[in-house]
Every structure is written in structure tokens, then in C-alpha cells.
Amino acid sequence: RRRVGGLRRQKVLTNVTAGSDLPKGTKMPVEMIGWVSPRVSSEIIAPAGPPFNIDVITESAKLHEAADFDRVLVGYFSGAPDGFMITAHAAAQTERLAFLLAHRPGFISPTLAARKLATLDQLSNGRLAVHLIAGGNDVDQAKDGDFLDHDDRYLRLDEYAGILRRNWTETAPFDHDGQFYRLKGAQADIRCRQLPHIPVYGGGGSDAAIAALTPHLDVFMLWGEPLADTAAFMARVHKAAASRGRTPTFSLSTRPILAKTDDKAWDRAHDILAQIERSSQKLGQRENIGSLRLLAAAETGELHDSCLWMKLAQATGAQGNSTALVGAPDTVAKAMVEYYKLGATSLLVRGYDPLPDAQQYGAELIPLVRKLVAEVDAAA
């Protein structure tokens, strides 16, 4: 055992595909995404120590790579350390792990952002993707000096994403005269290592979000809603994307709570709920449509499908990715593959005890998901 970031950790497992017929590192048509942050915290672990701990970043990146995650998300929060720098350091500590950098348009020029992202893709040897976030909270946006309303933020994102793509792909200087940006002779010498450019992810539950994002996204990101609601939302996105000549794939985010048996997993889930309800960190309800959708689903019942539990979304005011899949590893893996069958070819998972949970996912969950996905694809 060793202590990193103030928490005791088990030695990272290296043979995480035990029990699977697939060799470690085999790439299936499902992308497993984790989470890297500059300190250890969650809804049940209060932030402690400095807001930037380089040892936590290093350990988390290496742990996710050893656990056979394909990619990790580096989040964006007003007041938080810079995600570009966190990603650059994490990439330098790993060889295979890819990164999904959250980025809010509006605070730097899109031409500068394009060069920064292309440079980071080169530095990471082609392991970068960007997650464009319009911003779902007026108070948080104001902390960085942004006072546009919800729909205007998505209009700006639409324009911003188009300029990013032009910077990455056009070979001659170009002009742009739009609602939010005006450029004269824009041109970038630095290009992405990945061609034609890095993958673009993003998400949002409103009509404004779908209209702004579908012309640009490679991957549309969703939170864990009931299967029927997820299928209906995917259909809305597909229809909007088809009208723009696009065919995005989907990512689905959940909070798996695992234990040896289903009963023990539910004991753990209820213990997490009790900790959240006692916590002084409990926050109010969010404004964004995605959060409202989670809360509306929770109102219809706390348990959906096989093991999708909505109580934690209610307890936290649906603060982002907050719905849990609860059960033994095979129960949760089967539930995740149901989303894959709907079209979620990326699956983002984050635990309430972030580093041990990521290790557990690598040892017990990811191999099962890959195995089941291979069976689904073979049957198809």
C-alpha cells in the first residue's frame, strides 16, 4: 500500500482483463472514459489541501491507463486550475491514455483556442479531444465575466466551433464576420496531429443546444437517463444532425456503484446517499435542461430499467453526471451495454471514491463491458 493525495491506495492492478478473452489494450468499438482532476474530491469527499496536487494528477492518469480506460475527461470549473496544463502534464506521464479536455467558448479567442488545442494534440502525440461546454449556470459564467444568456451562449458556441474547424483545416488565410467574432486574415501554422482535426465532443439538453452542437460534434454527450428517454433524445439529435449532413455518435455518463453482490452494492449506494444528505457540500438545483431532465425522471421513480438509481441525482440537485448504476459488476456491465445497443459507443464512468473506484472499474467492470460489447457486435 502507498499513500497519495492524502488517501490510502492499493497498488494499481496491471492485469485488469483477468477473466476476459481479450488481450489487455484490445480496442473494441466502445470507448471507456474516466476522470482526472487536480485533487481528490467528490460529493462524499470534501476537497482538502491545495487545489492543485501534481501527485494526484500523475497517479490518476497512470491508474486510468493501467485500468485500460481509453480516455479521461479533464473538467472545467470557474476558479479551477487550467485544464490545458493539467492535460499536458497527464499526457507526459502516460503513453496510451487519451484525453477529453473540457473547454468553455467565450473566454479566449477561437483562433487562439484552435492553436492551443492543436499544440496540445501534437505534444500528446495525437491523444487529445475537446469537450465544448456552453455553460449551464449564469452565476458560474459571471465569475469569468460572461453575462450572455443561455441561448446566446449556444449561438456563440456554434460560431466558435466553426472557427475552430476553419483554423484546423483551411490552408489559406480567411476572414470571418459573425455575431460574436470578427477576424481578418486568420491563419494557423500549427495543425492537429490527428487529421483532419481532433475529435469534438459536447452536450446539452435544450433545443438551443441541439441546434448549435449538431453541425460540429463527433460525439454528443448524454447523462444517464432511463433507456426510453435516452432513445428518444438520441432520435432528436439524429434528426437535427441529419439535416446538417452530420452523423454523431453518443457518449453516456453514469456513476457505477459496485460490490461483490447486488445486495452489497445497494448497501454501499444507500451509505453514499446518507453521506451526501449529511454533507454540507449539498448544492441547489441547477438551471440547465439536462439537470432538469434528470430530476423529472427521478420524480417518476427512483429506480429505472435494471439498476439505474435516481436518488443521488435528487440528493445533489442533479449536479452534472449524478445517476448511478448499482449492482455487482455483471449487473452494471449489462446495464451499460443496453446504452451501447442504443448507440452510446462511449461510456463515461466516475466513482464517488474516485481513484479506488477507477481501479475497481478497470479490474471488474471494463473487461466485462468489452466482452459483452464484442458478443453484441458478433451477434449483429
Side-chain angles (χ1 to χ4, degrees), residues 142-203:
K143 292 176 182 178
D144 278 333
D146 182 24
F147 296 93
L148 291 182
D149 65 22
H150 172 276
D151 287 2
D152 280 345
R153 289 198 293 267
Y154 276 107
L155 289 175
R156 180 178 60 191
L157 185 152
D158 186 358
E159 188 174 338
Y160 193 98
I163 295 171
L164 288 180
R165 180 170 282 108
R166 295 188 72 181
N167 267 263
W168 290 329
T169 60
E170 294 198 12
T171 57
F174 66 89
D175 299 339
H176 176 86
D177 191 1
Q179 180 178 352
F180 300 96
Y181 301 101
R182 184 182 180 191
L183 307 170
K184 188 74 172 176
Q187 186 176 27
D189 292 333
I190 183 74
R191 299 303 172 105
C192 300
R193 185 175 184 87
Q194 299 169 83
L195 297 176
H197 54 73
I198 64 174
V200 179
Y201 293 56

Side-chain angles (χ1 to χ4, degrees), residues 30-374:
V30 61
E31 179 183 58
M32 300 303 303
I33 306 177
W35 172 277
V36 166
S37 65
R39 65 177 169 184
V40 175
S41 66
S42 75
E43 295 88 341
I44 64 171
I45 301 174
F52 183 88
N53 187 329
I54 195 169
D55 292 333
V56 169
I57 299 169
T58 299
E59 183 192 14
S60 183
K62 290 182 175 180
L63 185 153
H64 280 83
E65 183 164 74
D68 209 27
F69 281 82
D70 297 291
R71 191 180 297 276
V72 288
L73 173 64
V74 178
Y76 184 108
F77 308 95
S78 65
D82 179 63
F84 280 86
M85 298 297 101
I86 293 170
T87 303
H89 175 74
Q93 307 303 311
T94 54
E95 296 180 356
R96 177 191 58 81
L97 187 68
F99 299 89
L100 178 57
L101 175 61
H103 178 68
R104 287 185 189 172
F107 303 113
I108 62 173
S109 163
T111 53
L112 174 58
R115 299 195 302 273
K116 287 166 66 70
L117 290 163
T119 302
L120 189 50
D121 191 46
Q122 292 286 346
L123 286 172
S124 65
N125 197 29
R127 290 185 283 152
L128 183 67
V130 64
H131 174 26
L132 295 179
I133 304 173
N137 183 283
D138 290 344
V139 173
D140 201 49
Q141 293 294 119
K143 292 176 182 178
D144 278 333
D146 182 24
F147 296 93
L148 291 182
D149 65 22
H150 172 276
D151 287 2
D152 280 345
R153 289 198 293 267
Y154 276 107
L155 289 175
R156 180 178 60 191
L157 185 152
D158 186 358
E159 188 174 338
Y160 193 98
I163 295 171
L164 288 180
R165 180 170 282 108
R166 295 188 72 181
N167 267 263
W168 290 329
T169 60
E170 294 198 12
T171 57
F174 66 89
D175 299 339
H176 176 86
D177 191 1
Q179 180 178 352
F180 300 96
Y181 301 101
R182 184 182 180 191
L183 307 170
K184 188 74 172 176
Q187 186 176 27
D189 292 333
I190 183 74
R191 299 303 172 105
C192 300
R193 185 175 184 87
Q194 299 169 83
L195 297 176
H197 54 73
I198 64 174
V200 179
Y201 293 56
S206 66
D207 291 339
I210 294 173
L213 291 166
T214 48
H216 308 288
L217 294 192
D218 300 298
V219 183
F220 200 108
M221 302 189 74
L222 312 174
W223 289 332
E225 297 185 46
L227 289 167
D229 294 344
T230 300
F233 190 87
M234 285 179 171
R236 285 176 59 196
V237 173
H238 276 307
K239 183 178 180 180
S243 69
R244 305 298 294 269
R246 303 283 296 175
T247 309
T249 60
F250 293 90
S251 169
L252 194 286
S253 301
T254 56
R255 309 290 292 276
I257 299 175
L258 305 180
K260 194 169 186 178
T261 66
D262 287 347
D263 287 344
K264 289 181 178 179
W266 280 108
D267 288 343
R268 185 182 172 206
H270 284 104
D271 179 64
I272 290 170
L273 176 62
Q275 292 183 64
I276 290 173
E277 290 177 337
R278 294 192 302 265
S279 174
S280 61
Q281 298 185 75
K282 198 162 63 169
L283 301 173
Q285 182 173 309
R286 294 293 291 272
E287 306 162 4
N288 65 79
I289 300 300
S291 293
L292 296 179
R293 287 175 61 89
L294 296 185
L295 294 171
E299 287 295 320
T300 67
E302 68 174 77
L303 184 64
H304 290 265
D305 304 318
S306 62
C307 63
L308 180 69
W309 197 40
M310 311 300 294
K311 289 290 287 185
L312 297 177
Q314 284 184 313
T316 58
Q319 300 289 317
N321 175 18
S322 54
T323 50
L325 293 172
V326 183
D330 61 335
T331 299
V332 173
K334 289 174 183 176
M336 294 176 71
V337 172
E338 291 303 310
Y339 288 109
Y340 174 82
K341 291 177 182 177
L342 293 180
T345 54
S346 296
L347 299 170
L348 189 153
V349 292
R350 179 163 63 96
Y352 286 92
D353 195 356
L355 298 187
D357 284 351
Q359 188 176 30
Q360 184 183 31
Y361 298 156
E364 301 174 8
L365 183 61
I366 291 176
L368 282 173
V369 171
R370 294 195 191 283
K371 182 173 184 294
L372 290 172
V373 164

